[in-house]
Amino acid sequence: MRASVLLIAAVVAVTSAGLVARTLARVGVHQGYAPEQPIAFSHKLHAGDSKVPCLYCHSSARTSRHAGIPSVNVCMNCHSMLTKQTVDIERLKEAVQRRQPIVWTKVHNLPDFVYFNHSQHVGANVACQSCHGPVETMARVRQEAPLTMGWCLDCHRTRGAELQRSRMAWAHADPNAPLPVTDCGKCHY
Ligand code: HEC
Ligand code: HEC
Ligand code: HEC
Ligand code: HEC
Ligand code: HEC
């Protein structure tokens, strides 16, 4: 009797330690996160079916750190002419009339101690989809990549040759400098 109680206690202890370890290892990883938005904006409809280019709405991705979320004025470039009415389009027009920005819920969040810059990647012809997945098929955006350090480094390693070439092209760059792969200071400072 006492032996079986002990055995059960041991099994419970081992299982929960395993669960805790597994949960801790995933703390901060939000792969698959797809929050509901204040307006049901569909990338499938806009970027997929209607083929609006990503950079039409996220133009700062080419030149700056952040890709940015378009203001309602960009939406109204089309919706002031389109006649279709839905509850969500009504919400958009209400926000415009009240001059209120739409408060979108951010999907991707890197910790503050990491430096990530869109222009360094978009300028090097890394496709949006290699980091964000097939956004043009998503009715609601979800985080496709784990956004972990290992994920960043995996790509930097596989595209190392490409990295080295683009560095050599910079007049001031030292071709023998370590690749960003090993250079902690490129992502943490
Ligand atoms: C018509 C404008 C428009 C186009 C075109 C568009 N987007 Fe967006 N995008 C938005 C808006 C508005 C949001 C914020 C609401 C949301 O998350 O759905 C957003 C959000 C996102 C997010 C999530 C940002 C976060 O919060 O972390 C990603 C990633 C994204 N877009 C990528 C893309 C990609 C890739 C394309 C091209 C395949 C694209 N977008 C085309 C308007 C657009
Ligand atoms: C090399 C990977 C990578 C590429 C390529 C990339 N993104 Fe991102 N994107 C990220 C990461 C990482 C974040 C989260 C950044 C943060 O939290 O500071 C992000 C965040 C975003 C956001 C949220 C708002 C912002 O600016 O932080 C939008 C919108 C977005 N990306 C759109 C795009 C679009 C559109 C493209 C292509 C033109 C693109 N991204 C290319 C990795 C990438
Ligand atoms: C390049 C033109 C264009 C831009 C820019 C644009 N839309 Fe649209 N949107 C459309 C088209 C086309 C439809 C399909 C409905 C129609 O034919 O009138 C649509 C439909 C919608 C719908 C209704 C979806 C449904 O369920 O039928 C919503 C909501 C919407 N858009 C929100 C937005 C928001 C928010 C923005 C700005 C971030 C935006 N749109 C920017 C062209 C655009
Ligand atoms: C290509 C970009 C990149 C490089 C290079 C890089 N890191 Fe990171 N690092 C990240 C990202 C993204 C995160 C946050 C996500 C995560 O914790 O996996 C992170 C997280 C960390 C953390 C926190 C881990 C945790 O569990 O919270 C430490 C410590 C760290 N990095 C140290 C280093 C050191 C030391 C180096 C050099 C050997 C390095 N990093 C190089 C991108 C990078
Ligand atoms: C899909 C591939 C891919 C992923 C994923 C990726 N990168 Fe990069 N990254 C590149 C390429 C390619 C370059 C080279 C750009 C150049 O030098 O022209 C680059 C360059 C950089 C640079 C500039 C390096 C330098 O020498 O100036 C930094 C910083 C950087 N990445 C950070 C990150 C961080 C942080 C993450 C993860 C959150 C990440 N990258 C994820 C492909 C990627």
Side-chain angles (χ1 to χ4, degrees), residues 37 39 41 43 46-47 52-58 68-70 74-75 104-109 128-129 132-133 135-136 140-141:
Q37 298 291 350
I39 292 178
F41 174 81
H43 278 78
H46 291 87
V52 184
C54 309
L55 288 169
Y56 180 84
C57 290
H58 301 290
I69 302 294
V74 175
C75 313
W104 304 103
T105 302
K106 209 165 178 310
V107 183
H108 300 76
N109 295 290
C128 312
Q129 285 80 356
H132 293 297
V135 176
E136 67 283 359
R140 195 199 284 175
V141 180

Side-chain angles (χ1 to χ4, degrees), residues 32-165:
Y33 180 51
E36 199 174 319
Q37 298 291 350
I39 292 178
F41 174 81
S42 167
H43 278 78
K44 181 183 180 301
L45 195 156
H46 291 87
D49 304 347
S50 303
K51 300 196 163 51
V52 184
C54 309
L55 288 169
Y56 180 84
C57 290
H58 301 290
S59 53
S60 8
R62 210 174 355 209
T63 51
S64 62
R65 183 171 177 177
H66 293 289
I69 302 294
S71 73
V72 289
N73 297 333
V74 175
C75 313
M76 293 316 280
N77 286 346
C78 295
H79 284 281
S80 59
M81 293 183 294
L82 294 168
T83 50
K84 183 166 177 182
Q85 287 299 355
T86 67
V87 175
D88 288 288
I89 294 176
E90 205 49 55
R91 278 188 195 138
L92 166 65
K93 292 186 173 166
E94 251 172 55
V96 174
Q97 263 165 13
R98 293 200 196 135
R99 295 168 188 276
Q100 263 174 359
I102 297 162
V103 186
W104 304 103
T105 302
K106 209 165 178 310
V107 183
H108 300 76
N109 295 290
L110 276 180
D112 292 341
F113 59 83
V114 181
Y115 179 77
F116 175 82
N117 188 322
H118 273 89
S119 69
Q120 287 174 326
H121 294 87
V122 178
N125 286 325
V126 182
C128 312
Q129 285 80 356
S130 35
C131 296
H132 293 297
V135 176
E136 67 283 359
T137 64
M138 298 178 192
R140 195 199 284 175
V141 180
R142 66 175 178 275
Q143 181 181 320
E144 280 279 295
L147 259 56
T148 56
M149 179 162 131
W151 172 75
C152 309
L153 293 179
D154 275 349
C155 180
H156 283 195
R157 285 199 191 98
T158 52
R159 298 182 76 149
E162 198 178 324
L163 282 166
Q164 194 68 304
R165 263 201 310 280

